[in-house]
Amino acid sequence: MNTPPANDDGALAPQGTADDAPLAPTPAAPSDPVGLHRRVLDAVGEAICSGRYEAGRRLTLEELQREHGVSRTVARDTMRVLETMSLVTSGRRVGIVVQDPSRWNVYDPQLVHWRLASDRRDEQYASLTELRIAVEPVAAGGAARRASGTQRLELVRLAAELQRLGQGGDLEAFLAADIAFHRLILRSSGNEMFAALDGMVSEVLTSRTRQGLMPFHPRDEALEAHHRVAQAIADGDAARAESAMREVLHEVRAALHLNA
Amino acid sequence: MNTPPANDDGALAPQGTADDAPLAPTPAAPSDPVGLHRRVLDAVGEAICSGRYEAGRRLTLEELQREHGVSRTVARDTMRVLETMSLVTSGRRVGIVVQDPSRWNVYDPQLVHWRLASDRRDEQYASLTELRIAVEPVAAGGAARRASGTQRLELVRLAAELQRLGQGGDLEAFLAADIAFHRLILRSSGNEMFAALDGMVSEVLTSRTRQGLMPFHPRDEALEAHHRVAQAIADGDAARAESAMREVLHEVRAALHLNA
DNA sequence: CGCCTGTCAAAGATATCACCATTAGGTGAA
DNA sequence: TTCACCTAATGGTGATATCTTTGACAGGCG
């Protein structure tokens, strides 16, 4: 068909990030190529995630369109999307009510993006990391059972590249290979719910490296563990893949529980 | 806290299920108390999840409003919600394009609901079960570290009740207690991404019992494992809680891998 | 002489808008 | 305390603007 496989991400960053968008509402910008309602959606969603719109607060459509200088339909669309994420509920006569965070659809990539951009970044980061710890070993086991031949070969290749890059000092290249490794495992796991997490994992890994949170000792043990994961998957040994991946995540686990 | 286990739904079944809704479009039913666009949303969402609208298929707003006898705004709202779930993309001039399943937001509770109601129920069920296997042990560990005192007591109570009910023959009561147990662990884990899965876990457990897929031997080993999980959480022993929960899920794992 | 490419115009579908209908929460009086 | 009325805010409608695709046509190149 006409769906080029080149664009293979787009899960977490629907738009090219707010590169130029200031915090100002900029009420009059009708000639924007980016959809008009996306701007409002981002603004309101981020406001809710950051806590500026606390739970229980009541908004109204008219307030929204006045605030952002948009029409009723746009405000309505925004509200509908937010309602889908369970960030708000809309009732007649009561308006739009911001919901408690415990009700949010915290797996929505857009919501994750907003939360990672907000003050509560650390909380979101910790949750995602713990999710990684839970999912990735089982995903590795699934990959050992269900990955395709090409995927197995590519995993072994990536593990070798990781080992090579770990000895050098190129952080960026190492990060890219690391992300590719973990993403490929998730996508090869044969479980679409695991595969759907690949965007989040890459955000977490990127964030970890960028923040310098990662104690950048690509220690031999960790690299060796990566290699064993790939080898176990290639051999179709699910149990070994799972336990090796647990070892990979061991230092991550230690770092996380130190904070908590 | 003030989160009683009584309120145990609301996550997966936003509406009281389609109790009266037939499959017929019923184009003229303006006096329905249930929102009009919810009807269209359910119809289209289910059509996509079931595969009747295959990936790459192009719909149009006009087609939607003709098909369901609704106005443009309702069709648009539906499309926007579906776009939020990444079930479709909407582009100018191209219309609404059904996306490949690999792009879906498979963690959206509504989407899970549709998929569980479709023909591909088994696939969704397997994914959810594997997700349970991955998450619940780590969640139990988190609960051991971060649960409140009330939650720990309640868990021990529920484990005892499970053991009592397991000796009797009341499937329904046992199922209810089992659901409450697993949900409480997820909610006590201190990780909102784990807590958000509680609705899915209860759907899986319910489905498993209803389908008779569960080999209903509430074996002493399993019951004992439940008890050990609760005790470990009460003691704050994360490692023991995690490993005990793995034992609880062991038979689930075996049943799943037999199929796969 | 045939094929390829770049440009231009028309059409088709969403994006946006102003407007009416409906209903539910609040308020005041009996 | 209860009931009825009122108003505020969403639910829903149809029309218009705008943008993107797509098809054709003309010109150039092999």
Side-chain angles (χ1 to χ4, degrees), chain A residues 24-27 40 44 52-53 57 61-70:
Chain A
T26 60
V40 184
V44 180
R52 251 182 312 133
Y53 289 172
R57 174 159 182 173
L61 279 186
E62 196 168 1
E63 190 179 344
L64 269 177
Q65 47 185 324
R66 255 195 319 106
E67 186 82 13
H68 299 89
V70 294

Side-chain angles (χ1 to χ4, degrees), chain A residues 10-161:
Chain A
L12 272 181
Q15 70 190 36
T17 72
D19 40 28
D20 66 329
L23 286 185
T26 60
S31 61
D32 262 11
V34 61
L36 184 49
H37 83 102
R38 181 57 66 88
R39 199 185 207 80
V40 184
L41 180 63
D42 268 349
V44 180
E46 201 174 316
I48 294 179
C49 288
S50 74
R52 251 182 312 133
Y53 289 172
E54 69 279 14
R57 174 159 182 173
R58 283 175 36 174
L59 309 174
T60 162
L61 279 186
E62 196 168 1
E63 190 179 344
L64 269 177
Q65 47 185 324
R66 255 195 319 106
E67 186 82 13
H68 299 89
V70 294
S71 110
R72 194 169 191 76
T73 308
V74 177
R76 182 193 167 86
D77 276 354
T78 303
M79 185 274 299
R80 196 65 80 195
V81 172
L82 261 42
E83 196 182 19
T84 303
M85 302 177 184
S86 298
L87 258 65
V88 303
T89 57
S90 101
R92 282 176 120 96
R93 171 73 174 157
V94 290
I96 305 162
V97 182
V98 178
Q99 288 293 97
D100 191 80
S102 69
R103 295 192 177 274
W104 296 354
N105 275 11
V106 286
Y107 289 89
D108 190 294
Q110 199 140 38
L111 210 164
V112 171
H113 193 72
W114 288 331
R115 300 224 302 171
L116 282 175
S118 76
D119 306 344
R120 301 176 178 173
R121 201 188 57 82
D122 291 341
E123 189 182 337
Q124 174 68 32
Y125 177 79
S127 298
L128 282 174
T129 303
E130 202 173 37
L131 184 66
R132 273 191 69 202
I133 291 171
V135 164
E136 289 204 56
V138 180
R145 268 186 295 271
R146 302 186 282 258
S148 74
T150 317
Q151 289 168 332
R152 290 171 208 264
L153 287 178
E154 177 69 5
L155 275 174
V156 172
R157 194 191 66 77
L158 279 171
E161 192 176 326

Side-chain angles (χ1 to χ4, degrees), chain B residues 127-218:
Chain B
S127 298
L128 282 173
T129 303
E130 203 174 35
L131 184 65
R132 273 192 68 202
I133 291 170
V135 164
E136 289 204 57
V138 180
R145 270 185 295 271
R146 301 187 283 258
S148 74
T150 317
Q151 288 168 333
R152 290 172 207 263
L153 287 178
E154 176 70 3
L155 275 175
V156 173
R157 194 191 66 76
L158 279 171
E161 193 176 325
L162 269 179
Q163 232 158 6
R164 185 174 58 79
L165 290 171
Q167 295 177 343
D170 191 346
L171 243 85
E172 287 301 322
F174 184 84
L175 171 64
D178 200 25
I179 288 177
F181 182 80
H182 289 276
R183 286 182 61 128
L184 184 53
I185 287 180
L186 288 173
R187 300 189 74 91
S188 311
S189 68
N191 185 328
E192 76 278 0
M193 302 194 82
F194 292 167
L197 298 174
D198 66 345
M200 306 185 184
V201 167
S202 66
E203 283 230 29
V204 168
L205 288 176
T206 303
S207 169
R208 185 171 68 154
T209 300
R210 294 272 186 281
Q211 297 272 327
L213 284 181
M214 181 179 181
F216 203 75
H217 295 256

Side-chain angles (χ1 to χ4, degrees), chain B residues 2 4 34 37 108 111 132 137 141 166 175-176 192 216 218 228 234 251 255:
Chain B
N2 55 356
V34 61
H37 83 105
D108 190 294
L111 210 164
R132 273 192 68 202
L175 171 64
E192 76 278 0
F216 203 75
R228 273 187 300 164
E251 59 183 352

